[in-house]
Amino acid sequence: MEQTSNTTNLNVRVNSTLKKESDMLFQDLGLNMSTAINMFLTQCVKRQSIPFDIAEPKPSRKLKKALKEADNMMKHPEKYKSYNNVHEMIEDILNED
């Protein structure tokens, strides 16, 4: 890292929850916010790019299938077994052969 005499201030606006959660993470890692940001900026300059993928996560096939099934269950609840409470459901599961 560069010497302290060659530093400047950087003001950044972030969501307060994000800042709090980041502070806690960096503390667990033995860092402070300033060091973490300096590490990020250093890697950006060295790589001449953002040092991680920036992408919208794609749902897995399994998740897509589960979402489709849940959507179908919402549209056609009469086709599916339902319960009035968790005890009723557990009793039904335990009594299946």
Side-chain angles (χ1 to χ4, degrees), residues 58-69:
K58 290 185 179 181
S60 66
R61 281 190 204 144
K62 189 174 180 179
L63 177 57
K64 286 180 183 178
K65 184 178 176 183
L67 291 171
K68 185 176 179 180
E69 181 180 6

Side-chain angles (χ1 to χ4, degrees), residues 79-93:
K79 294 182 178 181
Y80 300 91
K81 192 182 288 188
S82 64
Y83 304 96
N84 295 314
N85 58 58
V86 71
H87 300 295
E88 190 178 306
M89 180 186 71
I90 292 171
E91 186 177 317
D92 187 45
I93 290 170

Side-chain angles (χ1 to χ4, degrees), residues 67-80:
L67 291 171
K68 185 176 179 180
E69 181 180 6
D71 186 50
N72 193 39
M73 291 173 84
M74 294 293 287
K75 289 178 181 174
H76 305 285
E78 71 283 353
K79 294 182 178 181
Y80 300 91

Side-chain angles (χ1 to χ4, degrees), residues 5-79:
S5 63
N6 194 19
T7 63
T8 187
N9 287 330
L10 173 67
N11 296 317
V12 180
R13 293 172 94 47
V14 296
N15 175 283
S16 58
T17 303
L18 176 61
K19 181 183 181 302
K20 188 169 146 183
E21 290 175 357
S22 324
D23 279 333
M24 289 172 28
L25 169 65
F26 298 145
Q27 183 178 357
D28 288 347
L29 296 172
L31 304 169
N32 60 33
M33 184 70 70
S34 182
T35 301
I37 291 172
N38 273 295
M39 291 170 67
F40 169 74
L41 295 175
T42 299
Q43 287 300 307
C44 288
V45 171
K46 284 183 178 183
R47 295 175 187 218
Q48 291 297 293
S49 68
I50 303 294
F52 48 81
D53 289 336
I54 301 174
E56 187 70 31
K58 290 185 179 181
S60 66
R61 281 190 204 144
K62 189 174 180 179
L63 177 57
K64 286 180 183 178
K65 184 178 176 183
L67 291 171
K68 185 176 179 180
E69 181 180 6
D71 186 50
N72 193 39
M73 291 173 84
M74 294 293 287
K75 289 178 181 174
H76 305 285
E78 71 283 353
K79 294 182 178 181

